[in-house]
Amino acid sequence: MKKLGIIGCGWLGNHLAERLSNQYEIFATTTTSSKIAALEAKGYTATLVSFPDEPNPEMREWNIASKLDAIIIAVPFSGLRGSKIPMTGKRENLLRFIGDFKGQIFYTSSTGVYPNSEKEFTEDDLPANEVESESFILEKFPQTNILRLGGLMGGERLLKNYNISNVDQPVNHIHYTDICSVVEKMLNNRSQSKVYNVVAPIHPNKEEVINAQKGLPFEGERTVIGRIISPEKLIKELDFEFQYPDPRYFHI
């Protein structure tokens, strides 16, 4: 069986592991020692490791890295909305941990790298080599696939559970099931050096989504102008069909 490494087996990492564990032997990392037993109970090989903000000269290459077929990095290495905050040490620790890996790499970035402007953004608007939180890994691992994820939703993550402002603004959300499907398809395609916006193609406003999740009607009008992240490149190049295209129905 092929071997898959997941660096950062948190909420998203766990969903990815569960989806892919029938095809790959899973090697997962966590920063919390209490989670080791839970990961191992699922049949994963777990490693305790953290990536501190300061460079750690004792950071060593992951002992399984050379045997892995692919690595998914599901640990945040950028600030909120892609803000430029010092993370040089944290990133250096990650690069040391991966070592000289030659296989497929998936790096979970965020649509937060795009400006907060009222327009529709595509990947061409902001090449990865111009994004500090993405270019650092491409410099050493040019084969890396950059996945710019929308707001992570699905399961217990519902918009109605959060304190929301500006409810007339459109959402750029993605259901974890579709993230897993994108990664699975790219693994099978042996994709390399791709940059994709991984966002549901329908963009209702926040109030529409919240009302749908509460079982309430929406009597307003959908905002047609706002910050929209386009997944058209993903849809076209991967011939991808979303299982959850409309964030109003993520809870169903």
Side-chain angles (χ1 to χ4, degrees):
M1 183 177 279
K2 291 184 177 180
K3 295 177 171 59
L4 174 66
I6 300 178
I7 297 177
C9 210
W11 186 80
L12 178 59
N14 263 293
H15 282 300
L16 287 163
E18 289 171 8
R19 172 66 171 267
L20 298 166
S21 60
N22 64 334
Q23 304 170 59
Y24 291 84
E25 185 179 354
I26 303 295
F27 295 81
T29 79
T30 178
T31 60
T32 309
S33 57
S34 60
K35 292 183 178 179
I36 294 289
L39 292 172
E40 291 179 341
K42 295 179 179 180
Y44 312 152
T45 300
T47 299
L48 183 66
V49 64
S50 62
F51 302 98
D53 293 335
E54 297 299 322
N56 178 7
E58 296 183 3
M59 178 65 71
R60 296 290 181 263
E61 180 179 347
W62 199 2
N63 59 3
I64 193 63
S66 63
K67 297 180 176 63
L68 297 174
D69 295 282
I71 290 176
I72 301 171
I73 301 166
V75 177
F77 285 90
S78 64
L80 183 64
R81 278 208 171 277
S83 60
K84 294 183 178 180
I85 61 176
M87 280 198 171
T88 305
K90 187 173 184 178
R91 295 168 184 165
E92 181 180 317
N93 291 329
L94 172 70
L95 297 179
R96 286 184 181 181
F97 187 66
I98 299 173
D100 192 28
F101 187 69
K102 302 298 184 184
Q104 273 183 297
I105 298 179
F106 295 83
Y107 176 78
T108 58
S109 183
S110 165
T111 55
V113 300
Y114 294 108
N116 191 19
S117 303
E118 291 188 346
K119 65 163 288 183
E120 183 174 60
F121 289 96
T122 70
E123 294 85 348
D124 291 339
D125 288 314
L126 196 59
N129 60 10
E130 297 178 10
V131 180
E132 182 189 29
S133 60
E134 296 174 352
S135 61
F136 84 96
I137 193 163
L138 289 172
E139 289 173 3
K140 184 173 181 182
F141 303 103
Q143 78 270 29
T144 301
N145 296 301
I146 305 291
L147 304 182
R148 292 173 177 170
L149 306 180
L152 303 179
M153 293 291 168
E156 75 282 4
R157 289 198 178 197
L158 298 175
L159 202 60
K160 70 174 184 178
N161 297 332
Y162 298 88
N163 184 18
I164 301 299
S165 59
N166 301 316
V167 294
D168 60 330
Q169 291 182 349
V171 301
N172 296 285
H173 288 171
I174 183 68
H175 195 286
Y176 70 80
T177 297
D178 284 317
I179 299 174
C180 293
S181 295
V182 167
V183 172
E184 183 177 31
K185 195 158 194 176
M186 293 179 72
L187 281 165
N188 292 338
N189 289 352
R190 301 181 184 274
S191 300
Q192 291 195 340
S193 306
K194 298 293 186 180
V195 180
Y196 289 132
N197 295 332
V198 186
V199 183
I202 299 175
H203 305 271
N205 64 37
K206 296 175 185 177
E207 187 176 3
E208 283 185 86
V209 175
I210 292 170
N211 281 21
Q213 292 171 354
K214 291 182 176 180
L216 301 174
F218 175 71
E219 299 176 352
E221 293 185 8
R222 177 173 298 180
T223 304
V224 295
I225 298 176
R227 180 177 176 273
I228 300 293
I229 312 300
S230 171
E232 289 306 311
K233 179 183 176 184
L234 170 75
I235 294 170
K236 181 179 179 181
E237 292 191 2
L238 285 184
D239 189 25
F240 188 77
E241 183 174 349
F242 286 83
Q243 184 174 339
Y244 292 92
D246 191 335
R248 291 177 297 173
Y249 307 114
F250 279 9
H251 63 294
I252 297 175

